[in-house]
Amino acid sequence: SSSSGDESLRDRRARILSRGLPKQKPIEGVKQVVVLASGKGGVGKSTTAVNIALALAANDSTKEVGLLDADIYGPSIPKMMNLKGNPELTPKNLMRPLKNYGIACMSMGFLVEETAPVVWRGLMVMSAVEKLLRQVDWGQLDYLVIDMPPGTGDVQLSVSQNIPIAGAVIISTPQDVALLDARKGAEMFRKVHVPVLGLVQNMSVFQCPKCKHETHIFGADGVRDLAKTLGLDILGDVPLHVNIRESCDSGQPVVVAQPQSDAAKAYLKIAMEIVRRLPVPPA
């Protein structure tokens, strides 16, 4: 029958496609990987990744958390986490992450001069990503947060296809232009069978520090509307606040610098929502 013929063709296509995919291999010592992504740059993804990593640790002091900066061209984790220097090597020639605020961090920024541009073609970028994934001694981690570069290109595909990912979180502002790319990011993860845990609405509202009037500079509920369209959850809203920017620029993220602030509480809530949606980790 034609239906059985169609099914046979689909099976054959799936087998051919699967041959071209690399086998997923867990990162040694890491129980669960959470990726933070955005289709578009400039939506506060790295700031969110840093504060969520710190919030995961703050919410449960028994958990060990790592942070991997997968943005080869524009690494920002070293500055935000107030870390400098080259990683030491273990006897097995693996890089030891640099550590601050209890978070183990690895970034291309530790391997090149701070002001030096990375002028590389795709193959060199992929080789660097492979090294950051496979040649780092993370020790024992409960969560590894990966700060992805913006977009839906080689790096995102390589990470998604090489390691098992427990879940992805999409960061976006409520602005229409950002939402278009956020949707592409969510759809990309679905195509490569990575569960999308939910969306974070960043820079959702600005409160005037003098008169306390609230303004939705980038729009009010764009990310919430997108979440409904995609059948996904909103993990939380983060306000547009000068303290968030200043604290990360100074290498003292708001979750550790001002843990009682509304901004820090927003990140702590998002981290809690992420953990609630993760599958049960391997023993």
Side-chain angles (χ1 to χ4, degrees):
S1 70
S2 64
S3 62
S4 63
D6 289 346
E7 197 172 322
S8 163
L9 186 60
R10 278 198 298 272
D11 287 346
R12 187 160 171 265
R13 278 182 186 154
R15 282 198 304 274
I16 291 168
L17 284 170
S18 66
R19 279 184 215 148
L21 294 177
K23 293 284 184 200
Q24 285 189 335
K25 182 183 167 192
I27 300 172
E28 193 172 339
V30 176
K31 285 186 181 176
Q32 291 186 303
V33 174
V34 177
V35 298
L36 267 71
S38 66
K40 189 171 182 58
V43 298
K45 174 182 49 58
S46 294
T47 300
T48 306
V50 163
N51 279 293
I52 283 178
L54 290 161
L56 286 168
N59 281 341
D60 188 343
S61 59
T62 67
K63 301 298 185 187
E64 292 292 330
V65 181
L67 179 59
L68 172 58
D69 186 353
D71 194 341
I72 303 300
Y73 292 119
S76 49
I77 298 303
K79 183 173 180 62
M80 291 183 179
M81 289 296 287
N82 197 26
L83 288 167
K84 278 186 180 180
N86 301 119
E88 294 178 0
L89 292 177
T90 70
K92 291 184 177 178
N93 217 30
L94 298 175
M95 294 180 285
R96 280 203 179 100
L98 277 65
K99 205 163 188 178
N100 198 11
Y101 308 121
I103 308 295
C105 301
M106 182 51 64
S107 169
M108 192 69 199
F110 300 145
L111 308 175
V112 297
E113 291 295 322
E114 189 175 12
T115 56
V118 176
V119 188
W120 287 354
R121 292 189 184 275
L123 284 174
M124 292 176 73
V125 172
M126 300 315 298
S127 174
V129 170
E130 180 71 15
K131 284 182 171 61
L132 291 175
L133 287 175
R134 299 291 177 201
Q135 296 183 19
V136 177
D137 180 6
W138 290 104
Q140 297 297 314
L141 293 182
D142 294 283
Y143 307 116
L144 176 62
V145 176
I146 300 184
D147 177 24
M148 292 281 220
T152 55
D154 286 347
V155 173
Q156 290 82 354
L157 281 172
S158 181
V159 172
S160 302
Q161 292 173 350
N162 273 285
I163 59 172
I165 296 171
V169 176
I170 308 294
I171 317 296
S172 182
T173 62
Q175 186 181 6
D176 286 350
V177 174
L179 293 167
L180 284 170
D181 291 337
R183 178 171 192 153
K184 291 174 190 172
E187 297 288 8
M188 183 210 75
F189 284 117
R190 283 177 164 174
K191 280 192 175 181
V192 293
H193 309 296
V194 171
V196 180
L197 304 177
L199 282 75
V200 171
Q201 181 162 261
N202 200 25
M203 309 182 197
S204 57
V205 64
F206 171 73
Q207 186 183 68
C208 174
K210 291 185 178 177
C211 70
K212 306 301 180 187
H213 176 71
E214 292 191 345
T215 306
H216 296 278
I217 292 174
F218 295 108
D221 289 313
V223 179
R224 292 184 180 282
D225 294 340
L226 176 61
K228 280 182 194 169
T229 303
L230 296 174
L232 294 170
D233 295 333
I234 285 281
L235 303 175
D237 290 70
V238 180
L240 177 62
H241 202 293
V242 68
N243 287 0
I244 297 175
R245 194 270 302 164
E246 286 179 344
S247 60
C248 266
D249 280 354
S250 67
Q252 295 179 305
V254 71
V255 167
V256 289
Q258 301 165 23
Q260 299 306 315
S261 66
D262 288 344
K265 287 174 183 174
Y267 289 120
L268 292 163
K269 175 185 175 291
I270 291 166
M272 186 176 67
E273 294 295 331
I274 288 171
V275 171
R276 276 183 54 205
R277 287 163 175 77
L278 287 172
V280 178

